[in-house]
Amino acid sequence: MNGRNEIPTPPDFTPELPAPVPRQPAHSRTTQFLGFQREDGLWDVEAQMLDTKPFDFEYGIEAPLPAHVPLHRMLIRITFDAQLTVVDIVSAMADHPHGHCTSADRHMRRMIGSSMAKGWRKSIEEHLGKVEGCTHMRELLFNMATVAFQTIAPHNIAHYERLRQQGTMLQIPPHLGQCHAFDLSGPVVERLYPMFFQPQASPSARDGNPESQKAASPSGMPPHA
């Protein structure tokens, strides 16, 4: 907690929501995620969590914490490849309420080799669950996978477009069927991925289940391929 500096109060970001009842600020949590393409062909995603309170805070911590001074400031960088496999991971607990907190990230490198494309949350719980890790570090890690997807999205979209133009896109992209916008029976898939468009997709087909799509096509290929 030494050397902590006051963090400016964040602005009100709720004008688009209905007006709340009269209230007073009680806590601020800010998270930031950044993605990078590296010169060595790999990718980085970085995350930071910042917790502050608008009043002096003493309960449960080892020294009084002045208002707007960080209670938590935690950072993680994951390096990953084009298949979203973790190649390296580093972390720092810059601000924390208890001296013992600093040992909570000692197992972070267990995540090397994990896939952010599949089973990410399960891997986090297996390697860093409960007292093996930090609740806030796990929260950051959970969301870093979706940021990694967004980071490499232009690269992947260009790849899928090349396959589409060549007529060789035979495997459904992994993001289809995983959210409302990419419903296999929706207008976005019909426009961008017509070979996988299913006007009357069943619930099992909408979730991108390969077996359900094989059953829907005698050839084992996705409909409209």
Side-chain angles (χ1 to χ4, degrees), residues 36 41-45 78-88 111-120 123 143-153 155-156 160 174-175:
F36 302 89
L42 298 174
W43 307 77
D44 284 340
V45 60
I78 292 177
T79 300
F80 59 98
D81 62 20
Q83 287 71 49
L84 292 168
T85 299
V86 176
V87 175
D88 195 14
M111 297 302 297
I112 294 175
S114 297
S115 172
M116 291 190 284
K118 184 178 182 181
W120 180 239
S123 184
N143 292 292
M144 291 178 80
T146 59
V147 180
F149 271 102
Q150 291 294 323
T151 299
I152 66 172
H155 171 83
N156 286 344
Y160 296 140
H175 59 285

Side-chain angles (χ1 to χ4, degrees), residues 15 20 22 115 121 155 157 224:
S115 172
R121 286 178 175 254
H155 171 83
I157 290 171
H224 303 281

Side-chain angles (χ1 to χ4, degrees), residues 1-9 26-28 50-59 61-72 95-97:
M1 293 168 57
N2 293 334
R4 290 180 168 180
N5 296 315
E6 180 175 334
I7 301 296
T9 303
H27 185 77
S28 172
L50 177 69
D51 276 336
T52 62
K53 295 190 180 298
F55 45 78
D56 293 351
F57 182 63
E58 297 186 21
Y59 179 78
I61 60 177
E62 296 170 2
L65 187 72
H68 306 299
V69 170
L71 175 65
H72 297 114
D95 291 301
H96 44 83

Side-chain angles (χ1 to χ4, degrees), residues 13-48:
F13 52 84
T14 61
E16 292 81 5
L17 299 177
V21 299
R23 60 188 185 175
Q24 293 295 322
H27 185 77
S28 172
R29 168 166 293 180
T30 304
T31 56
Q32 183 179 33
F33 299 87
L34 300 170
F36 302 89
Q37 183 173 9
R38 296 162 43 127
E39 293 183 353
D40 60 2
L42 298 174
W43 307 77
D44 284 340
V45 60
E46 296 183 350
Q48 176 178 239

